[in-house]
Amino acid sequence: MVEISQQSLVVTPKHLTNLGICEVQLPRNIIDDFWKLIDEAKQNPKDIRNQLAGNISSSLALDLESPHLNEFGRYILPPLIETYNKHFDLPWRVFFDKEKQRWNLDELWVNFQKQTEFNPMHDHAGVFSFVIWMKIPTDYEQQVQLPIARRSNAKGYISNFSFVYTDIIGQNKNYTFEMRKNIEGYLVFFPARLHHQVSPFFECDEERVTISGNITIV
């Protein structure tokens, strides 16, 4: 019988590949442009709640032809797509002729979420999606101390945004963004089929305002 010591074993860890997300803090001028888009949508509202999963008061389409999107389309989306493809590759096999086809911002909308409202777990259409937190009137540290959450063993969900995915043994995993004032103007960019959810907040009369969009190949 051959004796084996711990020193003679070579244990090699291997991380299995998985897709990721990209994050960016948007410049002030881009955020200002989005607020102008939101103001335009309020003046000529197009209710699209029947196309979305959210249990919320108001979701309005944003004008994809608006000049307020020019700088976002020129200076923000291209480096996001390039960075994502460089680090993670495409979310799934997508074949296209780079000379004839291009990435396209296909859908864009704004959500106005009131207290107790929520977005259940869902995914999006397209190849990529993004969320921009425009106005967050609550603070996670305060929300988690409310009576409804204080004694919960899952208090990390109240008021927060979470990605949900499965690991190699089929267990659900969460990647959570805690909602507080300093996340305003922050964009997260992700594969459109990545499931995500938005939990309700409580004891706040102000609306939470977020923008979402889907990107396809045309």
Side-chain angles (χ1 to χ4, degrees), residues 4-11:
I4 300 176
S5 66
Q6 287 186 340
Q7 289 77 15
S8 66
L9 290 177
V10 178
V11 180

Side-chain angles (χ1 to χ4, degrees), residues 165-173:
Y165 59 98
T166 55
D167 63 17
I168 191 173
I169 57 175
Q171 300 295 309
N172 281 342
K173 298 293 183 180

Side-chain angles (χ1 to χ4, degrees), residues 51-84:
Q51 303 173 35
L52 304 173
N55 290 252
I56 61 177
S57 296
S58 177
S59 295
L60 303 178
L62 296 178
D63 183 9
L64 291 169
E65 303 300 322
S66 173
H68 296 309
L69 277 177
N70 289 346
E71 291 198 11
F72 179 74
R74 179 179 297 179
Y75 299 113
I76 305 299
L77 286 184
L80 278 170
I81 295 170
E82 181 181 352
T83 301
Y84 194 96

Side-chain angles (χ1 to χ4, degrees), residues 89-97 103 126-127 217:
D89 205 353
L90 290 173
W92 55 87
R93 287 182 177 270
V94 179
F95 299 99
F96 65 102
D97 186 339
W103 294 101
V127 179
I217 295 176

Side-chain angles (χ1 to χ4, degrees), residues 94 123 181 191:
V94 179
D123 61 2
K181 190 73 175 177

